[in-house]
Amino acid sequence: MRASMPIAGALAALLLTGCAAPAADPRGDGAPVAASPGAEGEGPGTSEPRGAGVADLPAPLPPPPPGAAPPAGAPPPAAPPAAAPPAAQPPPATPLLRAAGGGDGDSWRDTTGREYRLGMVNAPEADECFGPEATAKRTALTADGFRADSYTVDTYGRSVSVVTTASGLNLNVHLARTGFVDDRYLAQFRSENPSLAAELDRAFAAARAERAGLWGRCAGTAAPSRSTASAQVQPVAPAASSDCHPAYVTCIPVKGTGSGSGAANDLDCEQVGKKVRVREPGMDPYRLDSDGDGFGCESYG
C-alpha cells in the first residue's frame, strides 16, 4: 500500500492541473510535437485540416484534339461568324469608240467602219446655213471618243443612237440645246425613244427661246434652208383655187401661211403620211426632201 500512494498522488496532480500527456515523438529525437491547430470543434492534434490545399486540387483536363466529338452533355460549339457579303461592284464601263474622219453634224463612222446617226435631231448639210459649224462642233465633241446606245437602224443601215461623249455629255441633247441641230425629225420618230424625245422637247424649246445657234443665225425659218446658206425659203402664199401647196407636185395641204416657219405654218412627214414630190429642187418649205433628190417622206412610199 505504501508503494502505491505516490502513484495515486501523481495521478491526482495531473488531473488537477489539466495537463495532457505529451504526444508521442514520431521522429525519435525527443523534441516536443506541436498540436495541429484545428477548426472549431476539432481537437488538438488532428492530422487533416477541414479544407484541402492547392496541391490537392485535380489537374485541368487537356483540350480535345481537333475534330474530336464533344463529350456527352457538353454544349455545342458556337458557330463561326458569317462572312460579310462582298461589296457590289459597278458594271464595267463600255469601251470608248473612236470617230473616223469625215461625217457631218449628225452622222459619222467609227474606226471600224460602223456608221452612227444621232437620234431625232437634224444637222444642216455642209452647204446649208450653220452646216459647217454643226460639223465642227460634233467633230470636236467626239474627238476623245464616244459611246453609242443604239436603239434602231435607219433605212441607210446607220445605227440610230443616243451618243455620249468621253466626258459623259449627251450629244443629242447638247447639240439641240446649243442650236447646232433642229427638230425636223422629232415628231416623226419620237415613238422610237420617248424618253429621249422628252429631253429634246425641253432642249429645243430653250434653244428657240434664246435664239441659240441656227435659231438666231438662220432666222425666218423653223430650221435652216435646205437649199444653200445664202438662199432662204420664202413664204409661199396659198393658191386661191386649191388647198394643195404649190411648192409640191404631190397635193399636200397648206398649213397656215405654208412657209414652214414655226409649228403653225409647218408640216412633217408624219402629218403628211405619204411620199411627196418637190416641184422645184431647193424649194421645199416643209423640208420634206432630206437628201435633195426631189422626193420627200420616202419611207412612206
Side-chain angles (χ1 to χ4, degrees), residues 5 27 34-35 44 65 83 115 177 212 240 288:
M5 288 301 292
R27 295 186 298 272
E115 189 171 7
R177 179 63 183 83
L288 304 176

Side-chain angles (χ1 to χ4, degrees), residues 23-41:
D25 180 8
R27 295 186 298 272
D29 56 4
V33 178
S36 299
E40 183 179 354

Side-chain angles (χ1 to χ4, degrees), residues 54-294:
V54 175
D56 297 322
L57 293 176
L61 295 175
Q89 297 297 321
T94 306
L96 283 172
L97 303 167
R98 296 292 174 179
D104 56 23
D106 58 28
S107 63
W108 67 96
R109 295 181 185 274
D110 66 15
T111 51
T112 69
R114 184 177 181 183
E115 189 171 7
Y116 298 88
R117 175 67 166 82
L118 290 175
M120 282 183 273
V121 300
N122 176 65
E125 302 300 327
D127 62 344
E128 295 175 342
C129 178
F130 223 69
E133 292 88 341
T135 298
K137 187 66 172 179
R138 192 280 305 164
T139 302
L141 289 173
T142 56
D144 293 331
F146 66 95
R147 294 182 173 92
D149 181 9
S150 302
Y151 58 86
T152 190
V153 177
D154 68 8
T155 55
Y156 301 101
R158 299 176 296 187
S159 297
V160 181
S161 308
V162 180
V163 172
T164 53
T165 66
S167 64
L169 183 71
N170 184 317
L171 190 59
N172 308 53
V173 174
H174 178 74
L175 293 180
R177 179 63 183 83
T178 50
F180 286 93
V181 294
D182 64 60
D183 58 352
R184 177 176 180 179
Y185 299 116
L186 180 57
Q188 182 177 352
F189 297 108
R190 68 184 305 119
S191 61
E192 293 181 347
N193 194 328
S195 61
L196 174 60
E199 291 186 79
L200 291 173
D201 284 336
R202 295 188 290 270
F204 281 126
R208 275 199 182 94
E210 296 173 7
R211 298 182 65 79
L214 58 83
W215 303 109
R217 179 83 63 85
C218 307
T221 59
S225 166
R226 306 304 295 183
S227 55
T228 65
S230 59
Q232 299 293 322
V233 175
Q234 299 298 318
V236 179
S241 60
S242 174
D243 292 330
C244 301
H245 200 298
Y248 301 94
V249 175
T250 308
C251 183
I252 58 176
V254 177
K255 184 176 180 182
T257 65
S259 66
S261 178
N265 307 304
D266 193 20
L267 289 175
D268 56 34
C269 287
E270 187 176 40
Q271 294 168 309
V272 172
K274 59 185 176 182
K275 185 177 179 179
V276 173
R277 183 177 177 184
V278 178
R279 188 175 300 279
E280 182 180 347
M283 294 301 295
D284 179 17
Y286 290 159
R287 300 170 307 283
L288 304 176
D289 180 13
S290 60
D291 54 8
D293 66 352

